[in-house]
Amino acid sequence: GENVEQHPSTLSVQEGDSAVIKCTYSDSASNYFPWYKQELGKRPQLIIDIRSNVGEKKDQRIAVTLNKTAKHFSLHITETQPEDSAVYFCAAFGGKTSYDKVIFGPGTSLSVIP
Amino acid sequence: DAGVIQSPRHEVTEMGQEVTLRCKPISGHDYLFWYRQTMMRGLELLIYFNNNVPIDDSGMPEDRFSAKMPNASFSTLKIQPSEPRDSAVYFCASSLQGNYFEAFFGQGTRLTVV
């Protein structure tokens, strides 16, 4: 089945710096790649997503890039703030083995140090 | 809509007891997912339903786990008998089919088996 890997598992940055989280997927037919943010003690929530027909998408301080050839995609957070501290999950969807189910990566715990 | 509603929010039970977790998906959503979250294993997909029909239960860890969806507005996840290693946060999520769709999570049930 689909396998999603995510790196790093933990990340600490100074407030104002950028943070980058990378994910790889195994099913070349996957065509939708969402990112979820989970604050401590809360539920995961979608923050941004990208479809296979585009290479980059931006929403204010966050952006996602996709390289379908290499089967990897990345989340970029610029000008990080303490409220960005959370666990971030990437996911792949729509492939031959995960046509209609969201398979999450293992997560990255981001800490933004004031 | 109030979103995905799970109950109870917290459950403490003794080993060997039966545990039932409940979920009410968002009205109109046709997919329902049960996830288990632990520090060691992240977000694991246990089972998911489409139009009340179980599609993939390959993530259910053992026969002690079972899930039902008797109608479009209710699902249960049952563990019988429960064991300490079942302690985790269990999330229910629902979504609406399309080429790409967002999974909306409930608040989760924190299960502790002592």
Side-chain angles (χ1 to χ4, degrees), chain B residues 3 15 19-20 23 26 40 46 55 71 82 99-101 110:
Chain B
M15 181 174 62
V19 176
T20 299
C23 176
I26 292 174
M40 293 297 295
L46 300 178
I55 302 300
N71 57 62
S82 58
N99 285 332
Y100 317 100
F101 56 77
R110 181 174 294 278

Side-chain angles (χ1 to χ4, degrees), chain A residues 32 36 38 43 100-102, chain B residues 31 35 37 48 56 105:
Chain A
Y32 173 62
Y36 284 74
Q38 185 179 24
R43 75 187 89 186
D100 55 2
K101 63 183 180 182
V102 182
Chain B
Y31 277 87
Y35 290 91
Q37 186 173 37
Y48 75 101
D56 186 343
F105 283 78

Side-chain angles (χ1 to χ4, degrees), chain A residues 7-79:
Chain A
H7 301 280
S9 57
T10 60
L11 180 60
S12 290
V13 299
Q14 291 289 333
E15 182 177 357
D17 288 350
S18 295
V20 180
I21 303 170
K22 300 180 180 180
C23 287
T24 60
Y25 60 98
S26 59
D27 190 337
S28 58
S30 292
N31 56 14
Y32 173 62
F33 308 92
W35 285 88
Y36 284 74
K37 175 183 180 182
Q38 185 179 24
E39 296 177 357
L40 187 63
K42 298 193 176 179
R43 75 187 89 186
Q45 291 187 292
L46 181 72
I47 56 170
I48 194 169
D49 55 17
I50 191 167
R51 303 173 186 181
S52 59
N53 58 346
V54 297
E56 182 176 1
K57 182 177 179 180
K58 292 184 70 173
D59 183 2
Q60 299 182 351
R61 295 187 298 106
I62 61 174
V64 57
T65 58
L66 171 65
N67 183 326
K68 285 216 72 179
T69 302
K71 292 190 288 186
H72 67 68
F73 55 111
S74 300
L75 177 71
H76 304 253
I77 306 174
T78 59
E79 301 173 20

